[in-house]
Amino acid sequence: MLNSLKGLLLTLRIAPRKPVTAEYPKKHLPIQDSYMGFPVLTWDSRIGEPYCTGCMVCVRMCPTNCMSALMKDNPLNKEGKSPRKKIIEAFEINYGRCILCGICEEVCAFDAITMSHQHELGSMARNGRRVDLPRLLELGKLYQDESGWRPPTEIEKEKQAALKTVQASAAAGAIPPPVVQPTSPPQAGP
Amino acid sequence: MAQSRPLQSLDMMVNMGPQHPSTHGVFRMVLWVDGEYIVEAEPYIGYLHRGTEKLCEGELYPQIITLFDRLDYLANFNNEWTLCLAMEKLMSVQVPERAEYIRLILCELNRIASHMLFYGTMGLDAGAMTPVMWGFRERERIQRLFEATSGARMMHNYFRIGGIKEDVPEDWKARVSGLASELEKSIEECDKLLTYNEVYLVRSVNVGKLSAKEALEWGVTGPCLRASGIPYDVRTSEPYSLYNRFQFDIPVGKNGDTWDRYALRVEEMRQSVKIIKQALGQMPDTGPFMATGVRRIPRPPKGEVYLGTENPRGEFGVYIVSDGGDKPYRLKIRPPSFVNLQALKAMLRNSYIADSVMILGSLDIVLGEVDR
Ligand code: SF4
Ligand code: SF4
């Protein structure tokens, strides 16, 4: 009896707390930066073409075989406008089979595919979740704009360069290496 | 004149599941009942069979990690870790310390998340509605952290053979320690709500007893075995990874009944928080997160390896036979749920029908792992 009362008291004490539930279609919980949604293709706006060269590495590494790609000679390369010899002609991902594992993003050496924040792409048509190249690029641009996407290899290069300069100056004994501060204050859970 | 015959009674056969609201997953058992009592029970499994072991033989090693996520879908990190540890043992890879600490912390968090769900469903099986809400609330907090770390709430594909996929966010340590102290408080709260509740005690004490001898005979591992009084935990009996660096207790039950199995898991959550706190203190702030010299598609040398780890449900083991190629020649999984489930027959005998769901719930099976 006593313990049941204790439980009841606990419930009463907790009752005035703010609810943690969110009514889903009306209210969306914030998505974390690193969230992996459906993979999309990125757009190189400096040249005006997709990053993807159609090398098929991601196609071969995909555990569910849900993508296909076709490569062609890059016309912009002949005109001397682009360093890419080959370019993607057709690309398709079947989102219905994609398991959001992120392997494609990991293996791509050209920064061409990235995990977006898309996660609500339901469709009423049978093949409505097979997404072709224009749509993939469109979704990609959307993601690039909203998240300020930059090619990961470039970021990595910058990091390495910064590390080198720091190491060089440290070797020269001039400046101590800078201390990296987290930009946002640490927060724990909702 | 008709001969008088004694009245005969027959046992009634009842199907329970696979679409039963209170079974955990798609699971069917056939019960032979005599009035309110269960005379005999026969579990039927296989509704979720995906042929994982066979599929693994056709997949590259990095792709297998995605399959392991889907075995025990409440403890994804623990499964991934077992595969990675086994592969690292086979290939003699030394994992960087920082990566190992991160993996350990994530796995212990996952243990808490899994036990929290158990706490919720256990309450639900006994007819209490609040615990399941609270259990999910705490689990959600942990999954929020998982999402920030690996990019997915459940199917992470985050651990790699030789380390982890990418480094954790910068404020990760602060977030985890904040989460650990929050969890510490809420575990106490949850404990207070349900553990010694009179109704719950009546429903669970002395229900579905499993003696130590029986448990050993059935090969039961994990909390179900420890509840029967045998202090066997892979983390201490065959320490893998960094577990010999931490101070923690292995809770042990007395009676091996449903309540023991429940209370033991609540205590285990506290121990997990303890381990996480120690690990955060010992974890180096910087360092590599991936071992050097591991190729993207690893080709382990010819040979075989077995490695078992302590999953939230018991000893999860992987046995890999490699023929030197980029795919395993054979991969055998020892799922704890599958083995624990076999003891159900012994536990259900002579119990009430109404208790059968509680007893099944107290085993904490995950059908994704049972059926593979
Ligand atoms: S997305 Fe990357 S890996 Fe895939 S075909 Fe294009 S360039 Fe190759
Ligand atoms: S995320 Fe995984 S399943 Fe989806 S397309 Fe990429 S590799 Fe294939």
Side-chain angles (χ1 to χ4, degrees), chain A residues 9-175:
Chain A
L9 274 179
L10 187 69
T11 326
L12 279 179
R13 197 146 16 99
I14 279 163
R17 276 193 210 165
K18 249 174 70 191
V20 291
T21 42
E23 305 226 339
Y24 163 59
K26 289 182 210 141
K27 190 167 168 278
H28 289 237
L29 289 175
I31 280 178
Q32 315 259 347
D33 284 341
S34 59
Y35 177 73
M36 296 198 297
F38 286 111
V40 293
L41 292 182
T42 49
W43 182 257
D44 190 346
S45 50
R46 277 167 293 190
I47 304 175
E49 64 179 11
Y51 276 98
C52 179
T53 56
C55 69
M56 299 269 287
V57 169
C58 59
V59 177
R60 256 177 267 134
M61 282 299 287
C62 175
T64 56
N65 294 333
C66 68
M67 12 164 65
S68 58
L70 196 66
M71 166 199 277
K72 69 171 179 196
D73 285 333
N74 191 357
L76 289 181
N77 181 263
K78 279 196 202 104
E79 295 165 25
K81 283 187 195 151
S82 160
R84 296 186 185 88
K85 285 209 182 87
K86 302 279 182 188
I87 199 83
I88 189 80
E89 173 154 31
F91 203 101
E92 190 191 271
I93 304 182
N94 187 347
Y95 281 167
R97 285 180 70 173
C98 175
I99 54 171
L100 308 182
C101 64
I103 286 182
C104 47
E105 183 194 32
E106 203 185 338
V107 296
C108 179
F110 299 95
D111 311 322
I113 195 163
T114 181
M115 305 304 278
S116 69
H117 287 174
Q118 293 286 350
H119 57 282
E120 293 170 316
L121 295 176
S123 160
M124 299 294 274
R126 178 163 176 269
N127 278 330
R129 307 230 299 164
R130 298 172 77 135
V131 187
D132 56 359
L133 183 62
R135 177 90 175 116
L136 279 171
L137 288 170
E138 185 191 311
L139 289 172
K141 269 185 217 159
L142 209 70
Y143 174 65
Q144 276 169 296
D145 289 345
E146 82 178 32
S147 69
W149 180 87
R150 283 173 61 226
T153 45
E154 249 172 46
I155 298 174
E156 189 58 29
K157 251 185 226 161
E158 269 169 30
K159 245 193 216 163
Q160 293 301 331
L163 203 68
K164 242 180 218 159
T165 50
V166 167
Q167 275 167 353
S169 54
I175 347 156

Side-chain angles (χ1 to χ4, degrees), chain B residues 50 52 55-56 59 63-71:
Chain B
R50 293 155 294 178
T52 306
L55 272 177
C56 287
E59 303 265 2
Q63 295 175 339
I64 292 177
I65 299 174
T66 64
L67 290 176
F68 267 64
D69 273 333
R70 285 155 179 81
L71 284 175

